[in-house]
Amino acid sequence: MLMIVLVILGMFILLGIGFVVVFGCLGIFLLIDSLFHRDERKAQRQKMDEENRKAEQMLANMRRENEKLRQQIKNK
């Protein structure tokens, strides 16, 4: 009886150690992955900011042209 309890207890201990190893490795992998992809995310953010700036400039130009056309229509 004592042997069965010790075997079951040993299985739970090994299972716990397995969880610690698996989730520990997963955490370390995610940490390293986030460190290596930081530059890529920064480059993507800069690219997106540049595209947003260009779109805002195009919108401002279109608004100016629209206002000019309105003035021309009013003056006619």
Side-chain angles (χ1 to χ4, degrees), residues 16-61:
I17 291 171
F19 275 115
V20 168
V21 168
V22 167
F23 286 110
C25 289
L26 182 62
I28 291 170
F29 172 75
L30 290 174
L31 180 65
I32 291 171
D33 188 51
S34 69
L35 291 175
F36 281 118
H37 287 107
R38 183 182 302 169
D39 295 335
E40 291 176 15
R41 287 192 301 266
K42 185 177 180 182
Q44 288 175 348
R45 187 172 50 246
Q46 287 175 345
K47 182 179 176 185
M48 197 64 142
D49 289 344
E50 181 67 23
E51 289 176 2
N52 286 342
R53 188 183 59 77
K54 287 180 183 178
E56 288 173 2
Q57 286 178 347
M58 286 174 45
L59 183 61
N61 289 340

Side-chain angles (χ1 to χ4, degrees), residues 3-4 10 12 16 19 22 37 40 45 60 67 69 71-72:
M3 190 66 150
I4 294 173
F12 281 120
F19 275 115
V22 167
H37 287 107
E40 291 176 15
R45 187 172 50 246
E67 189 60 36
L69 290 173
Q71 291 299 325
Q72 287 178 358

